[in-house]
Amino acid sequence: MVGIDPRLGLLPDVFQKEVNPADFQAVAQAFQDFSLAILDIVAPYAACVKPQLAFFEAVGPAGMHALGRVIRHARKLGLPVVLDGKRNDIGSTAKGYAAAYLGETSAWGGDALTVSPYLGDDSLQPFVDTAVEKDAGIFVLVKTSNPGGGMLQDLNADGRTLFQHVADWVEKTSANLAGSEKYGPVGAVVGATYPEQLAQLRQRMPHAWLLVPGYGAQGGTAEDVRSAFDADGLGAVVNSSRGILFAHSRKEYAGMPWEKAVEQAILDMKNQFAFAFG
Amino acid sequence: MVGIDPRLGLLPDVFQKEVNPADFQAVAQAFQDFSLAILDIVAPYAACVKPQLAFFEAVGPAGMHALGRVIRHARKLGLPVVLDGKRNDIGSTAKGYAAAYLGETSAWGGDALTVSPYLGDDSLQPFVDTAVEKDAGIFVLVKTSNPGGGMLQDLNADGRTLFQHVADWVEKTSANLAGSEKYGPVGAVVGATYPEQLAQLRQRMPHAWLLVPGYGAQGGTAEDVRSAFDADGLGAVVNSSRGILFAHSRKEYAGMPWEKAVEQAILDMKNQFAFAFG
């Protein structure tokens, strides 16, 4: 999975030169041009892409217009689109988010959306219902890759950590909807930076796709994420954002044209996986 | 606080007639026209407004353009704008959201943003830092107004509920930043539908503004929210969305022009508060 996380200061020179960072319209255009070019490069190799909504929102309405263009281009290339928005709310508002992002006919046209669980099961249900109706999916935050994630997620209540409470809801809900498939429409976000918990959570949620961030720039290795996959080598998608998007600034690709660096980075990631998975 | 939550089927006839619900551009225009009209009506009476991002996002990029117009108009009218997005993420992504929404010079120009705590303290810190830098504020979800909110929020860990863990972080952070002011820049969302916990949380977070949803259509009464305020009658904002926006469909305002129903609903809410607060 390639994360689409454009940030002006990190773009190849050709995209950021002559762009005034305070000109949101110009920055949004640079994000769009860069993201569309990235999609063309990674399309032959990537399983799916994950636009990070925050970076598009950061440049205002023009950024959201760019996001719409990026999603449409990914769909045109046949790349499933996981929208990383970590949204949630209650009742009709949760329905609003679900209607906004899930399914080809929605306003944004995502195949899946990341969702935050703090508001509880009745806040998650509208996303589940819409995902089922629109042939889409959701990934619920379970165990995140940041150091501070444990502040709440690792708290122990009734003999289970908070993230285990969320994981058990994910598994129950996804198993109920899986039918004859191995995996249901409700997946989980589990960071690569806690490999031991990743392995435990794979076991705990046999019917949930795992979305695994934290690979590469955040420190997770191919070996670390091996346990996210089932015995058939399926059931997980591993995200890399900076390591691929901004490969032109990695020293191992010094001197390469930026497009070539991106292509080489995704090939190297695939090779690392092939090696680690033996 | 007036919540700006446009939904096509609930708008006064003049805004929804001849609008095709599948035409996102037309729906976004209706949302914009309605929301700008609402702002003009409530400006003399409201302390602040709270656009609900989900409903604008639900109609795609055109909806986000409308949201931008709504925020600018509210600012022009002198109404502080609390953006209800319940955002969060980690690291540079959290910084992206904070930069997007907080402060007059940000891409969206909000005065405050609602933020979800599941990702922990290091995910909240960029919002706090940006709020301080941009003279803005955040409201962290503590105890939400929905029935399922307790699934995680009421779990007990180390002698405190999860929502108390979050509340204690809010209080500590806001107290540290309050300086000579009574209230700091970090507030809390606490629903009106749990009056007993609302009173306890007011005591537990003496330096945190409370944003209180759940009044009116969700069942909370003026008496229920009285305990959200401090001894001086300050320290809280109580939100009403549907009860004001869609007052034209409430039976007590039957037959009134929609603008008059909105104005009467906000006056009635103020009167209910004056009565309950003696």
Side-chain angles (χ1 to χ4, degrees), chain A residues 7 52 57-58 85-87 89 92-93 97 101 107-108 117-119 121-122 142 146 148 151-153 156-157, chain B residues 7 52 57-58 60 86-87 89 92-93 97 101 107-108 117-119 121-122 142 146 148 151-153 156-157:
Chain A
R7 278 180 284 168
Q52 173 49 261
E57 289 172 73
K86 301 187 173 61
R87 297 297 199 260
D89 211 297
S92 61
T93 314
Y97 278 130
Y101 290 111
W108 296 94
Y118 188 75
L119 294 114
D121 47 11
D122 62 353
V142 170
N146 56 316
M151 173 192 166
L152 300 180
Q153 294 161 30
N156 198 298
Chain B
R7 278 181 284 167
Q52 171 49 258
E57 289 172 74
K86 301 188 171 61
R87 299 297 200 258
D89 212 298
S92 60
T93 313
Y97 278 130
Y101 291 111
W108 296 94
Y118 188 75
L119 295 115
D121 47 11
D122 61 354
V142 171
N146 56 316
M151 174 192 167
L152 300 180
Q153 295 161 30
N156 198 298

Side-chain angles (χ1 to χ4, degrees), chain B residues 116-205:
Chain B
S116 177
Y118 188 75
L119 295 115
D121 47 11
D122 61 354
S123 75
L124 297 168
Q125 197 60 47
F127 292 93
V128 175
D129 296 342
T130 303
V132 169
E133 185 193 328
K134 298 291 197 74
D135 198 21
I138 62 170
F139 290 95
V140 180
L141 297 184
V142 171
K143 176 71 184 160
T144 59
S145 58
N146 56 316
M151 174 192 167
L152 300 180
Q153 295 161 30
D154 292 353
L155 289 176
N156 198 298
D158 303 333
R160 291 180 288 163
T161 62
L162 182 63
F163 73 76
Q164 289 171 334
H165 281 268
V166 180
D168 292 346
W169 183 90
V170 166
E171 169 56 21
K172 183 185 65 181
T173 309
S174 211
N176 279 340
L177 294 166
S180 60
E181 304 283 338
K182 184 163 182 184
Y183 293 99
V186 183
V189 176
V190 183
T193 48
Y194 300 96
E196 198 174 313
Q197 290 161 335
L198 180 57
Q200 291 163 4
L201 287 165
R202 170 72 291 162
Q203 301 301 316
R204 200 171 185 114
M205 297 181 283

Side-chain angles (χ1 to χ4, degrees), chain A:
Chain A
M1 166 186 268
V2 177
I4 309 292
D5 298 20
R7 278 180 284 168
L8 188 63
L10 301 180
L11 299 183
D13 281 345
V14 61
F15 293 100
Q16 57 167 301
K17 69 172 183 196
E18 293 172 24
V19 174
N20 174 356
D23 180 349
F24 296 129
Q25 189 84 41
V27 177
Q29 186 65 50
F31 284 5
Q32 179 176 311
D33 294 344
F34 172 69
S35 300
L36 296 183
I38 285 284
L39 291 174
D40 288 333
I41 299 168
V42 306
Y45 311 109
C48 52
V49 293
K50 180 175 73 68
Q52 173 49 261
L53 273 54
F55 296 116
F56 293 93
E57 289 172 73
V59 286
M64 298 311 275
H65 183 80
L67 173 66
R69 290 287 303 274
V70 169
I71 295 168
R72 283 200 300 278
H73 193 64
R75 293 199 77 100
K76 208 178 78 181
L77 293 168
L79 286 165
V81 180
V82 179
L83 295 171
D84 198 355
K86 301 187 173 61
R87 297 297 199 260
N88 207 353
D89 211 297
I90 67 173
S92 61
T93 314
K95 281 185 201 161
Y97 278 130
Y101 290 111
L102 292 174
E104 185 168 4
T105 58
S106 66
W108 296 94
D111 295 288
L113 177 70
T114 59
V115 176
S116 178
Y118 188 75
L119 294 114
D121 47 11
D122 62 353
S123 75
L124 297 168
Q125 197 60 46
F127 292 93
V128 175
D129 295 341
T130 304
V132 169
E133 184 192 330
K134 298 289 199 73
D135 199 21
I138 62 171
F139 290 96
V140 179
L141 298 183
V142 170
K143 176 70 184 159
T144 59
S145 59
N146 56 316
M151 173 192 166
L152 300 180
Q153 294 161 30
D154 292 354
L155 289 175
N156 198 298
D158 303 332
R160 291 180 288 164
T161 63
L162 182 63
F163 73 76
Q164 288 171 335
H165 281 269
V166 180
D168 292 346
W169 183 89
V170 166
E171 168 56 21
K172 182 184 65 181
T173 309
S174 211
N176 279 340
L177 295 166
S180 61
E181 305 283 336
K182 184 163 182 185
Y183 293 98
V186 183
V189 176
V190 182
T193 47
Y194 300 97
E196 198 175 314
Q197 289 161 334
L198 180 57
Q200 290 163 4
L201 287 165
R202 171 71 291 162
Q203 301 301 315
R204 201 172 183 113
M205 296 182 283
H207 296 88
W209 279 88
L210 302 186
L211 190 174
V212 185
Y215 176 84
Q218 283 184 58
T221 66
E223 190 57 50
D224 288 337
V225 300
R226 188 175 169 167
S227 59
F229 295 86
D230 65 22
D232 301 322
L234 301 172
V237 281
V238 177
N239 181 72
S240 177
S241 301
R242 279 170 280 176
I244 291 171
L245 293 195
F246 309 127
H248 65 278
S249 57
R250 289 170 61 179
K251 60 179 181 302
E252 56 266 56
Y253 309 128
M256 281 187 192
W258 76 270
E259 302 95 325
K260 185 71 196 159
V262 168
E263 189 175 23
Q264 195 58 51
I266 196 165
L267 286 169
D268 287 350
M269 181 175 169
K270 285 176 99 83
N271 284 335
Q272 283 153 17
F273 274 59
F275 183 77
F277 290 24

